[in-house]
Amino acid sequence: MKSKFRIVNYGWLLFLVALSTAHGQLRVIEEEAIPFTRFLSKADFDQRYPGAILDDPSKLDTGWYVIYEHESLSYYFGPILLESTGQDYYEQLKTTVGEAVDQRPTIEGYRLELSFEPKASSSSSTATTNPPAEESSESGYSTPQPAPKPSIFEVIKRWFGF
């Protein structure tokens, strides 16, 4: 029973790898969807989290994104306000992807990272080429961009010494 459950758990990711979307498009999905990738089927996941399709990464809302790309798939989970929250979500998806790769070792050349988007100069065809999986896994997340302007809550925290 447990192994059957695992096949369903990672079915959506394996299905994503097998399918391709239109070139140049990316799917933006709320980060709260990441934990559901472990147990929802592909159909249930897509119904619950349809996301938004964008054709240009420069149109992304500013924030941290957990990015999964493989072949012509581009899934951006976010935007996430805090980098530390993004790292937590990144680790969750890294575990899920790692277990899917263990079940299907032919999955390689994907990109999985935490990145502050949109990048200042976004050249989608050259910057998002698919590096080997080992390279993505070692880096963990990309070099952070300059932090967003402080919010009113951060100013209040500084006033009170937090």
Side-chain angles (χ1 to χ4, degrees), residues 64-92:
W64 292 94
Y65 288 84
V66 176
I67 302 169
Y68 175 80
E69 291 183 336
H70 184 263
E71 297 176 359
S72 60
L73 295 174
S74 295
Y75 283 74
Y76 284 59
F77 293 93
I80 305 167
L81 182 62
L82 300 173
E83 180 182 14
S84 59
T85 304
Q87 288 174 343
D88 292 341
Y89 280 118
Y90 166 79
E91 290 299 325
Q92 288 179 14

PDB file of all heavy atoms in Angstrom, residues 64-92:
ATOM      1  N   TRP A  64      10.723  36.516  -3.964  1.00  0.00           N
ATOM      2  CA  TRP A  64      11.481  35.271  -4.058  1.00  0.00           C
ATOM      3  C   TRP A  64      10.606  34.207  -4.691  1.00  0.00           C
ATOM      4  O   TRP A  64       9.417  34.109  -4.391  1.00  0.00           O
ATOM      5  CB  TRP A  64      11.942  34.813  -2.678  1.00  0.00           C
ATOM      6  CG  TRP A  64      12.971  35.736  -2.109  1.00  0.00           C
ATOM      7  CD1 TRP A  64      12.765  36.791  -1.273  1.00  0.00           C
ATOM      8  CD2 TRP A  64      14.370  35.691  -2.362  1.00  0.00           C
ATOM      9  NE1 TRP A  64      13.957  37.412  -0.991  1.00  0.00           N
ATOM     10  CE2 TRP A  64      14.959  36.750  -1.648  1.00  0.00           C
ATOM     11  CE3 TRP A  64      15.183  34.864  -3.122  1.00  0.00           C
ATOM     12  CZ2 TRP A  64      16.322  37.002  -1.669  1.00  0.00           C
ATOM     13  CZ3 TRP A  64      16.551  35.101  -3.145  1.00  0.00           C
ATOM     14  CH2 TRP A  64      17.102  36.157  -2.422  1.00  0.00           C
ATOM     15  N   TYR A  65      11.197  33.391  -5.571  1.00  0.00           N
ATOM     16  CA  TYR A  65      10.480  32.314  -6.251  1.00  0.00           C
ATOM     17  C   TYR A  65      11.265  31.018  -6.131  1.00  0.00           C
ATOM     18  O   TYR A  65      12.490  31.018  -6.287  1.00  0.00           O
ATOM     19  CB  TYR A  65      10.300  32.626  -7.742  1.00  0.00           C
ATOM     20  CG  TYR A  65       9.288  33.710  -8.027  1.00  0.00           C
ATOM     21  CD1 TYR A  65       9.635  35.047  -7.964  1.00  0.00           C
ATOM     22  CD2 TYR A  65       7.974  33.384  -8.341  1.00  0.00           C
ATOM     23  CE1 TYR A  65       8.714  36.041  -8.222  1.00  0.00           C
ATOM     24  CE2 TYR A  65       7.036  34.369  -8.601  1.00  0.00           C
ATOM     25  CZ  TYR A  65       7.418  35.692  -8.537  1.00  0.00           C
ATOM     26  OH  TYR A  65       6.495  36.681  -8.781  1.00  0.00           O
ATOM     27  N   VAL A  66      10.554  29.931  -5.871  1.00  0.00           N
ATOM     28  CA  VAL A  66      11.143  28.603  -5.980  1.00  0.00           C
ATOM     29  C   VAL A  66      10.867  28.192  -7.419  1.00  0.00           C
ATOM     30  O   VAL A  66       9.706  28.118  -7.844  1.00  0.00           O
ATOM     31  CB  VAL A  66      10.508  27.607  -4.986  1.00  0.00           C
ATOM     32  CG1 VAL A  66      11.082  26.215  -5.199  1.00  0.00           C
ATOM     33  CG2 VAL A  66      10.729  28.073  -3.554  1.00  0.00           C
ATOM     34  N   ILE A  67      11.928  27.968  -8.172  1.00  0.00           N
ATOM     35  CA  ILE A  67      11.807  27.728  -9.615  1.00  0.00           C
ATOM     36  C   ILE A  67      12.156  26.280  -9.932  1.00  0.00           C
ATOM     37  O   ILE A  67      13.201  25.785  -9.519  1.00  0.00           O
ATOM     38  CB  ILE A  67      12.740  28.669 -10.399  1.00  0.00           C
ATOM     39  CG1 ILE A  67      12.402  30.127 -10.079  1.00  0.00           C
ATOM     40  CG2 ILE A  67      12.660  28.388 -11.892  1.00  0.00           C
ATOM     41  CD1 ILE A  67      13.427  31.120 -10.602  1.00  0.00           C
ATOM     42  N   TYR A  68      11.252  25.634 -10.678  1.00  0.00           N
ATOM     43  CA  TYR A  68      11.519  24.294 -11.204  1.00  0.00           C
ATOM     44  C   TYR A  68      11.381  24.391 -12.713  1.00  0.00           C
ATOM     45  O   TYR A  68      10.335  24.765 -13.226  1.00  0.00           O
ATOM     46  CB  TYR A  68      10.535  23.254 -10.658  1.00  0.00           C
ATOM     47  CG  TYR A  68      10.741  21.900 -11.307  1.00  0.00           C
ATOM     48  CD1 TYR A  68      11.757  21.055 -10.885  1.00  0.00           C
ATOM     49  CD2 TYR A  68       9.938  21.489 -12.373  1.00  0.00           C
ATOM     50  CE1 TYR A  68      11.974  19.833 -11.498  1.00  0.00           C
ATOM     51  CE2 TYR A  68      10.147  20.261 -12.985  1.00  0.00           C
ATOM     52  CZ  TYR A  68      11.162  19.442 -12.544  1.00  0.00           C
ATOM     53  OH  TYR A  68      11.381  18.232 -13.160  1.00  0.00           O
ATOM     54  N   GLU A  69      12.451  24.092 -13.427  1.00  0.00           N
ATOM     55  CA  GLU A  69      12.433  24.070 -14.887  1.00  0.00           C
ATOM     56  C   GLU A  69      13.035  22.768 -15.372  1.00  0.00           C
ATOM     57  O   GLU A  69      14.032  22.292 -14.832  1.00  0.00           O
ATOM     58  CB  GLU A  69      13.229  25.242 -15.466  1.00  0.00           C
ATOM     59  CG  GLU A  69      12.586  26.581 -15.242  1.00  0.00           C
ATOM     60  CD  GLU A  69      13.362  27.719 -15.880  1.00  0.00           C
ATOM     61  OE1 GLU A  69      14.589  27.581 -16.098  1.00  0.00           O
ATOM     62  OE2 GLU A  69      12.746  28.758 -16.157  1.00  0.00           O
ATOM     63  N   HIS A  70      12.405  22.218 -16.379  1.00  0.00           N
ATOM     64  CA  HIS A  70      12.906  21.014 -17.018  1.00  0.00           C
ATOM     65  C   HIS A  70      12.415  21.031 -18.445  1.00  0.00           C
ATOM     66  O   HIS A  70      11.213  21.177 -18.681  1.00  0.00           O
ATOM     67  CB  HIS A  70      12.415  19.767 -16.294  1.00  0.00           C
ATOM     68  CG  HIS A  70      12.982  18.498 -16.862  1.00  0.00           C
ATOM     69  ND1 HIS A  70      12.296  17.734 -17.764  1.00  0.00           N
ATOM     70  CD2 HIS A  70      14.176  17.888 -16.677  1.00  0.00           C
ATOM     71  CE1 HIS A  70      13.037  16.692 -18.099  1.00  0.00           C
ATOM     72  NE2 HIS A  70      14.189  16.765 -17.453  1.00  0.00           N
ATOM     73  N   GLU A  71      13.359  20.904 -19.376  1.00  0.00           N
ATOM     74  CA  GLU A  71      13.048  20.995 -20.794  1.00  0.00           C
ATOM     75  C   GLU A  71      12.249  22.271 -21.037  1.00  0.00           C
ATOM     76  O   GLU A  71      12.735  23.342 -20.749  1.00  0.00           O
ATOM     77  CB  GLU A  71      12.369  19.716 -21.276  1.00  0.00           C
ATOM     78  CG  GLU A  71      13.292  18.511 -21.150  1.00  0.00           C
ATOM     79  CD  GLU A  71      12.651  17.193 -21.511  1.00  0.00           C
ATOM     80  OE1 GLU A  71      11.454  17.175 -21.856  1.00  0.00           O
ATOM     81  OE2 GLU A  71      13.358  16.176 -21.438  1.00  0.00           O
ATOM     82  N   SER A  72      11.014  22.190 -21.515  1.00  0.00           N
ATOM     83  CA  SER A  72      10.269  23.419 -21.784  1.00  0.00           C
ATOM     84  C   SER A  72       9.281  23.776 -20.675  1.00  0.00           C
ATOM     85  O   SER A  72       8.443  24.641 -20.847  1.00  0.00           O
ATOM     86  CB  SER A  72       9.539  23.301 -23.123  1.00  0.00           C
ATOM     87  OG  SER A  72       8.638  22.228 -23.081  1.00  0.00           O
ATOM     88  N   LEU A  73       9.395  23.141 -19.510  1.00  0.00           N
ATOM     89  CA  LEU A  73       8.541  23.466 -18.366  1.00  0.00           C
ATOM     90  C   LEU A  73       9.199  24.552 -17.533  1.00  0.00           C
ATOM     91  O   LEU A  73      10.396  24.503 -17.278  1.00  0.00           O
ATOM     92  CB  LEU A  73       8.351  22.243 -17.468  1.00  0.00           C
ATOM     93  CG  LEU A  73       7.621  21.051 -18.038  1.00  0.00           C
ATOM     94  CD1 LEU A  73       7.665  19.902 -17.047  1.00  0.00           C
ATOM     95  CD2 LEU A  73       6.208  21.401 -18.374  1.00  0.00           C
ATOM     96  N   SER A  74       8.402  25.505 -17.096  1.00  0.00           N
ATOM     97  CA  SER A  74       8.892  26.540 -16.193  1.00  0.00           C
ATOM     98  C   SER A  74       7.824  26.797 -15.142  1.00  0.00           C
ATOM     99  O   SER A  74       6.781  27.380 -15.445  1.00  0.00           O
ATOM    100  CB  SER A  74       9.182  27.833 -16.960  1.00  0.00           C
ATOM    101  OG  SER A  74      10.224  27.645 -17.865  1.00  0.00           O
ATOM    102  N   TYR A  75       8.076  26.345 -13.922  1.00  0.00           N
ATOM    103  CA  TYR A  75       7.149  26.533 -12.813  1.00  0.00           C
ATOM    104  C   TYR A  75       7.802  27.448 -11.794  1.00  0.00           C
ATOM    105  O   TYR A  75       8.874  27.131 -11.265  1.00  0.00           O
ATOM    106  CB  TYR A  75       6.784  25.190 -12.178  1.00  0.00           C
ATOM    107  CG  TYR A  75       5.795  24.427 -13.009  1.00  0.00           C
ATOM    108  CD1 TYR A  75       6.179  23.806 -14.186  1.00  0.00           C
ATOM    109  CD2 TYR A  75       4.467  24.354 -12.634  1.00  0.00           C
ATOM    110  CE1 TYR A  75       5.271  23.119 -14.966  1.00  0.00           C
ATOM    111  CE2 TYR A  75       3.542  23.665 -13.403  1.00  0.00           C
ATOM    112  CZ  TYR A  75       3.947  23.050 -14.568  1.00  0.00           C
ATOM    113  OH  TYR A  75       3.040  22.379 -15.339  1.00  0.00           O
ATOM    114  N   TYR A  76       7.163  28.562 -11.520  1.00  0.00           N
ATOM    115  CA  TYR A  76       7.640  29.545 -10.563  1.00  0.00           C
ATOM    116  C   TYR A  76       6.652  29.585  -9.398  1.00  0.00           C
ATOM    117  O   TYR A  76       5.509  30.007  -9.571  1.00  0.00           O
ATOM    118  CB  TYR A  76       7.730  30.933 -11.200  1.00  0.00           C
ATOM    119  CG  TYR A  76       8.912  31.128 -12.115  1.00  0.00           C
ATOM    120  CD1 TYR A  76       9.116  30.328 -13.227  1.00  0.00           C
ATOM    121  CD2 TYR A  76       9.834  32.133 -11.861  1.00  0.00           C
ATOM    122  CE1 TYR A  76      10.204  30.508 -14.065  1.00  0.00           C
ATOM    123  CE2 TYR A  76      10.929  32.327 -12.698  1.00  0.00           C
ATOM    124  CZ  TYR A  76      11.108  31.504 -13.796  1.00  0.00           C
ATOM    125  OH  TYR A  76      12.187  31.690 -14.610  1.00  0.00           O
ATOM    126  N   PHE A  77       7.092  29.135  -8.225  1.00  0.00           N
ATOM    127  CA  PHE A  77       6.249  29.145  -7.038  1.00  0.00           C
ATOM    128  C   PHE A  77       6.549  30.423  -6.266  1.00  0.00           C
ATOM    129  O   PHE A  77       7.646  30.595  -5.749  1.00  0.00           O
ATOM    130  CB  PHE A  77       6.518  27.922  -6.164  1.00  0.00           C
ATOM    131  CG  PHE A  77       6.106  26.623  -6.792  1.00  0.00           C
ATOM    132  CD1 PHE A  77       7.009  25.865  -7.531  1.00  0.00           C
ATOM    133  CD2 PHE A  77       4.811  26.136  -6.643  1.00  0.00           C
ATOM    134  CE1 PHE A  77       6.636  24.650  -8.102  1.00  0.00           C
ATOM    135  CE2 PHE A  77       4.429  24.930  -7.206  1.00  0.00           C
ATOM    136  CZ  PHE A  77       5.342  24.187  -7.945  1.00  0.00           C
ATOM    137  N   GLY A  78       5.577  31.319  -6.192  1.00  0.00           N
ATOM    138  CA  GLY A  78       5.777  32.565  -5.475  1.00  0.00           C
ATOM    139  C   GLY A  78       4.821  33.631  -5.964  1.00  0.00           C
ATOM    140  O   GLY A  78       3.834  33.311  -6.613  1.00  0.00           O
ATOM    141  N   PRO A  79       5.070  34.892  -5.694  1.00  0.00           N
ATOM    142  CA  PRO A  79       6.245  35.448  -5.026  1.00  0.00           C
ATOM    143  C   PRO A  79       6.185  35.245  -3.511  1.00  0.00           C
ATOM    144  O   PRO A  79       5.123  35.237  -2.911  1.00  0.00           O
ATOM    145  CB  PRO A  79       6.178  36.933  -5.370  1.00  0.00           C
ATOM    146  CG  PRO A  79       4.727  37.211  -5.565  1.00  0.00           C
ATOM    147  CD  PRO A  79       4.135  35.949  -6.116  1.00  0.00           C
ATOM    148  N   ILE A  80       7.356  35.102  -2.922  1.00  0.00           N
ATOM    149  CA  ILE A  80       7.498  34.886  -1.489  1.00  0.00           C
ATOM    150  C   ILE A  80       8.183  36.125  -0.918  1.00  0.00           C
ATOM    151  O   ILE A  80       9.205  36.572  -1.452  1.00  0.00           O
ATOM    152  CB  ILE A  80       8.324  33.615  -1.207  1.00  0.00           C
ATOM    153  CG1 ILE A  80       7.691  32.410  -1.923  1.00  0.00           C
ATOM    154  CG2 ILE A  80       8.458  33.380   0.286  1.00  0.00           C
ATOM    155  CD1 ILE A  80       8.569  31.172  -1.968  1.00  0.00           C
ATOM    156  N   LEU A  81       7.638  36.668   0.146  1.00  0.00           N
ATOM    157  CA  LEU A  81       8.157  37.907   0.721  1.00  0.00           C
ATOM    158  C   LEU A  81       9.546  37.739   1.330  1.00  0.00           C
ATOM    159  O   LEU A  81      10.447  38.522   1.076  1.00  0.00           O
ATOM    160  CB  LEU A  81       7.185  38.443   1.776  1.00  0.00           C
ATOM    161  CG  LEU A  81       7.557  39.756   2.447  1.00  0.00           C
ATOM    162  CD1 LEU A  81       7.636  40.888   1.434  1.00  0.00           C
ATOM    163  CD2 LEU A  81       6.572  40.091   3.538  1.00  0.00           C
ATOM    164  N   LEU A  82       9.728  36.691   2.135  1.00  0.00           N
ATOM    165  CA  LEU A  82      10.986  36.510   2.864  1.00  0.00           C
ATOM    166  C   LEU A  82      11.845  35.411   2.254  1.00  0.00           C
ATOM    167  O   LEU A  82      11.344  34.331   1.914  1.00  0.00           O
ATOM    168  CB  LEU A  82      10.702  36.161   4.325  1.00  0.00           C
ATOM    169  CG  LEU A  82       9.904  37.182   5.131  1.00  0.00           C
ATOM    170  CD1 LEU A  82       9.554  36.619   6.485  1.00  0.00           C
ATOM    171  CD2 LEU A  82      10.688  38.471   5.262  1.00  0.00           C
ATOM    172  N   GLU A  83      13.130  35.651   2.167  1.00  0.00           N
ATOM    173  CA  GLU A  83      14.057  34.653   1.635  1.00  0.00           C
ATOM    174  C   GLU A  83      14.056  33.387   2.491  1.00  0.00           C
ATOM    175  O   GLU A  83      14.088  32.272   1.977  1.00  0.00           O
ATOM    176  CB  GLU A  83      15.473  35.228   1.553  1.00  0.00           C
ATOM    177  CG  GLU A  83      16.478  34.253   1.002  1.00  0.00           C
ATOM    178  CD  GLU A  83      17.896  34.793   0.969  1.00  0.00           C
ATOM    179  OE1 GLU A  83      18.161  35.827   1.612  1.00  0.00           O
ATOM    180  OE2 GLU A  83      18.744  34.173   0.297  1.00  0.00           O
ATOM    181  N   SER A  84      13.984  33.547   3.819  1.00  0.00           N
ATOM    182  CA  SER A  84      14.009  32.375   4.696  1.00  0.00           C
ATOM    183  C   SER A  84      12.788  31.484   4.477  1.00  0.00           C
ATOM    184  O   SER A  84      12.899  30.253   4.496  1.00  0.00           O
ATOM    185  CB  SER A  84      14.098  32.799   6.161  1.00  0.00           C
ATOM    186  OG  SER A  84      12.985  33.608   6.504  1.00  0.00           O
ATOM    187  N   THR A  85      11.639  32.072   4.231  1.00  0.00           N
ATOM    188  CA  THR A  85      10.445  31.290   3.909  1.00  0.00           C
ATOM    189  C   THR A  85      10.635  30.587   2.575  1.00  0.00           C
ATOM    190  O   THR A  85      10.286  29.418   2.414  1.00  0.00           O
ATOM    191  CB  THR A  85       9.200  32.198   3.860  1.00  0.00           C
ATOM    192  OG1 THR A  85       9.082  32.894   5.098  1.00  0.00           O
ATOM    193  CG2 THR A  85       7.940  31.395   3.591  1.00  0.00           C
ATOM    194  N   GLY A  86      11.230  31.295   1.625  1.00  0.00           N
ATOM    195  CA  GLY A  86      11.533  30.708   0.323  1.00  0.00           C
ATOM    196  C   GLY A  86      12.474  29.526   0.444  1.00  0.00           C
ATOM    197  O   GLY A  86      12.317  28.515  -0.252  1.00  0.00           O
ATOM    198  N   GLN A  87      13.457  29.605   1.340  1.00  0.00           N
ATOM    199  CA  GLN A  87      14.392  28.497   1.542  1.00  0.00           C
ATOM    200  C   GLN A  87      13.666  27.274   2.090  1.00  0.00           C
ATOM    201  O   GLN A  87      13.960  26.148   1.697  1.00  0.00           O
ATOM    202  CB  GLN A  87      15.522  28.910   2.479  1.00  0.00           C
ATOM    203  CG  GLN A  87      16.497  29.864   1.837  1.00  0.00           C
ATOM    204  CD  GLN A  87      17.540  30.387   2.820  1.00  0.00           C
ATOM    205  OE1 GLN A  87      17.385  30.295   4.034  1.00  0.00           O
ATOM    206  NE2 GLN A  87      18.601  30.960   2.279  1.00  0.00           N
ATOM    207  N   ASP A  88      12.701  27.505   2.984  1.00  0.00           N
ATOM    208  CA  ASP A  88      11.918  26.385   3.516  1.00  0.00           C
ATOM    209  C   ASP A  88      11.122  25.700   2.412  1.00  0.00           C
ATOM    210  O   ASP A  88      11.117  24.465   2.305  1.00  0.00           O
ATOM    211  CB  ASP A  88      10.965  26.858   4.620  1.00  0.00           C
ATOM    212  CG  ASP A  88      11.689  27.305   5.880  1.00  0.00           C
ATOM    213  OD1 ASP A  88      12.871  26.926   6.067  1.00  0.00           O
ATOM    214  OD2 ASP A  88      11.074  28.038   6.679  1.00  0.00           O
ATOM    215  N   TYR A  89      10.459  26.495   1.582  1.00  0.00           N
ATOM    216  CA  TYR A  89       9.698  25.924   0.468  1.00  0.00           C
ATOM    217  C   TYR A  89      10.626  25.240  -0.536  1.00  0.00           C
ATOM    218  O   TYR A  89      10.310  24.190  -1.085  1.00  0.00           O
ATOM    219  CB  TYR A  89       8.860  26.993  -0.236  1.00  0.00           C
ATOM    220  CG  TYR A  89       7.584  27.327   0.475  1.00  0.00           C
ATOM    221  CD1 TYR A  89       7.347  28.615   0.958  1.00  0.00           C
ATOM    222  CD2 TYR A  89       6.577  26.378   0.658  1.00  0.00           C
ATOM    223  CE1 TYR A  89       6.161  28.930   1.607  1.00  0.00           C
ATOM    224  CE2 TYR A  89       5.396  26.687   1.301  1.00  0.00           C
ATOM    225  CZ  TYR A  89       5.189  27.966   1.764  1.00  0.00           C
ATOM    226  OH  TYR A  89       4.019  28.267   2.394  1.00  0.00           O
ATOM    227  N   TYR A  90      11.790  25.844  -0.786  1.00  0.00           N
ATOM    228  CA  TYR A  90      12.769  25.243  -1.690  1.00  0.00           C
ATOM    229  C   TYR A  90      13.176  23.856  -1.189  1.00  0.00           C
ATOM    230  O   TYR A  90      13.232  22.897  -1.963  1.00  0.00           O
ATOM    231  CB  TYR A  90      14.001  26.151  -1.821  1.00  0.00           C
ATOM    232  CG  TYR A  90      15.172  25.463  -2.457  1.00  0.00           C
ATOM    233  CD1 TYR A  90      15.234  25.293  -3.842  1.00  0.00           C
ATOM    234  CD2 TYR A  90      16.201  24.930  -1.681  1.00  0.00           C
ATOM    235  CE1 TYR A  90      16.296  24.626  -4.421  1.00  0.00           C
ATOM    236  CE2 TYR A  90      17.259  24.274  -2.260  1.00  0.00           C
ATOM    237  CZ  TYR A  90      17.311  24.120  -3.631  1.00  0.00           C
ATOM    238  OH  TYR A  90      18.353  23.447  -4.199  1.00  0.00           O
ATOM    239  N   GLU A  91      13.458  23.744   0.099  1.00  0.00           N
ATOM    240  CA  GLU A  91      13.865  22.450   0.671  1.00  0.00           C
ATOM    241  C   GLU A  91      12.756  21.411   0.529  1.00  0.00           C
ATOM    242  O   GLU A  91      13.037  20.238   0.256  1.00  0.00           O
ATOM    243  CB  GLU A  91      14.280  22.609   2.144  1.00  0.00           C
ATOM    244  CG  GLU A  91      15.591  23.355   2.334  1.00  0.00           C
ATOM    245  CD  GLU A  91      16.787  22.665   1.681  1.00  0.00           C
ATOM    246  OE1 GLU A  91      16.848  21.420   1.663  1.00  0.00           O
ATOM    247  OE2 GLU A  91      17.672  23.377   1.183  1.00  0.00           O
ATOM    248  N   GLN A  92      11.503  21.826   0.719  1.00  0.00           N
ATOM    249  CA  GLN A  92      10.383  20.898   0.555  1.00  0.00           C
ATOM    250  C   GLN A  92      10.308  20.381  -0.879  1.00  0.00           C
ATOM    251  O   GLN A  92      10.162  19.179  -1.109  1.00  0.00           O
ATOM    252  CB  GLN A  92       9.057  21.569   0.920  1.00  0.00           C
ATOM    253  CG  GLN A  92       8.871  21.802   2.385  1.00  0.00           C
ATOM    254  CD  GLN A  92       7.547  22.505   2.677  1.00  0.00           C
ATOM    255  OE1 GLN A  92       6.666  22.600   1.840  1.00  0.00           O
ATOM    256  NE2 GLN A  92       7.415  22.991   3.904  1.00  0.00           N
TER     257      GLN A  92
END
